[in-house]
Amino acid sequence: MATVAGQTDAWALRLGGLLLPLLFLGTAGSQRQVTTAPSSTARVGSGALLQCRFDVGGPVALDSLRVMWYFLDQEVASFKHSRSQAWPRASLPSHKELKSGDASLSLVAVTVPDGGLYRCVVGYGTQQHHGETILRLLAAPTLSVPRKPVVADAETSLLCHVGRFYPEDVDVAWLRDGEVLQGFTRSSPQRNADGTFNLTLTYTFTPARSNADSILSCYVRHEALEQPLQEDVSLDIRGESPHWDLPAALTLDTGELGM
Ligand SMILES: *[C@@H]1O[C@H](CO)[C@@H](O)[C@H](O)[C@H]1NC(C)=O
């Protein structure tokens, strides 16, 4: 296999200097030379593949090929003089894939700051073409509702922390028995060091005995979630056995509180 590939290389090399640039020119008007997807989406922490394909109108001689990927005007990866170079989390395809017209950029462990416009520049002989693609990052929110005891007829605040989501746009609410409650407040999103956002929803109310058996829910809808996320809180204000073992259960134990 190595010998065959070597022979193909030598053949392509010999032809590369003269014939291929002509073929490249010959097709320049009739087909796009570099094809990219307008955008791709990746989840924070996962890998991303930014597609870029090129067509030189014939076999690809690697020593005539230049591939450069730019992000924010910085060169992220390049293939020049038959050698690949890339930033630590970036890589270009193998020589075999490059020969088949694949100049896609792979990124591992993407973070929010990796999102944005990338440019794939492919040069061949004297020709140069480029394509652009946008990498969109997504991070799904987490929900947490700290448990705390509540006292009947005393004002209390229920908190719901919505953590580590991206992008910033998020739809959140406190519900009672599935109905959106009025009068909860929503903090403005705080940016984390990793570029994701947190916010807190606060519902301040005075539990009454008539609230028995109500289910309060913190609800969040976000484009990184396939389905809305919800965390339910049951208010046991009858003062029966505490439910500390239940997730996010709120317990009013009048006996324990000395009432
Ligand atoms: C954001 O939320 C996450 C998950 O709840 C938490 O680990 C992190 O400490 C929060 N960041 C800030 C700045 O509060």
Side-chain angles (χ1 to χ4, degrees):
M1 284 307 282
T3 315
V4 173
Q7 281 169 353
T8 311
D9 274 342
W11 174 81
L13 227 141
R14 253 178 271 128
L15 289 179
L18 178 66
L19 182 56
L20 295 180
L22 292 177
L23 285 173
F24 195 65
L25 271 175
T27 57
S30 58
Q31 56 192 132
R32 285 184 61 186
Q33 302 297 324
V34 171
T35 313
T36 48
S39 72
S40 51
T41 302
R43 286 179 183 270
V44 166
S46 73
L49 181 68
L50 305 185
Q51 304 253 11
C52 177
R53 294 201 61 86
F54 61 93
D55 183 358
V56 298
V60 176
L62 289 182
D63 63 344
S64 297
L65 178 69
R66 299 180 307 282
V67 174
M68 284 82 67
W69 273 95
Y70 294 95
F71 175 58
L72 304 175
D73 290 326
Q74 301 207 36
E75 196 178 273
V76 177
S78 68
F79 178 85
K80 289 172 195 160
H81 313 298
S82 301
R83 276 218 304 274
S84 289
Q85 281 191 325
W87 284 8
R89 290 184 297 107
S91 60
L92 287 175
S94 67
H95 285 192
K96 189 178 165 200
E97 289 163 319
L98 284 165
K99 280 188 163 186
S100 74
D102 184 359
S104 303
L105 179 71
S106 298
L107 299 173
V108 296
V110 292
T111 61
V112 168
D114 293 331
L117 183 69
Y118 287 75
R119 210 148 48 92
C120 170
V121 179
V122 178
Y124 199 73
T126 57
Q127 298 286 303
Q128 187 155 297
H129 296 271
H130 77 271
E132 291 182 337
T133 185
I134 293 171
L135 177 63
R136 299 180 63 249
L137 271 296
L138 285 180
T142 57
L143 277 189
S144 86
V145 179
R147 286 190 272 168
K148 66 179 211 183
V150 296
V151 179
D153 304 323
E155 189 175 85
T156 189
S157 290
L158 290 184
L159 302 182
C160 174
H161 298 295
V162 186
R164 301 205 181 283
F165 55 91
Y166 191 87
E168 188 174 354
D169 201 22
V170 68
D171 190 9
V172 286
W174 269 108
L175 314 178
R176 185 199 299 272
D177 300 328
E179 303 279 327
V180 177
L181 286 166
Q182 304 300 313
F184 61 83
T185 60
R186 168 189 164 146
S187 72
S188 55
Q190 305 290 313
R191 208 178 239 277
N192 292 304
D194 66 1
T196 61
F197 293 94
N198 283 13
L199 65 75
T200 301
L201 279 186
T202 307
Y203 177 52
T204 301
F205 71 118
T206 303
R209 277 163 200 283
S210 59
N211 294 146
D213 305 325
S214 284
I215 303 285
L216 294 175
S217 317
C218 182
Y219 168 96
V220 59
R221 205 163 49 184
H222 187 268
E223 70 168 302
L225 291 168
E226 270 164 33
Q227 291 176 354
L229 200 61
Q230 185 168 322
E231 179 139 354
D232 294 342
V233 172
S234 54
L235 287 183
D236 180 1
I237 62 162
R238 287 161 299 186
E240 289 166 2
S241 58
H243 294 292
W244 291 111
D245 51 330
L246 295 178
L250 290 189
T251 302
L252 176 74
D253 187 339
T254 50
E256 199 173 288
L257 293 161
M259 296 179 70

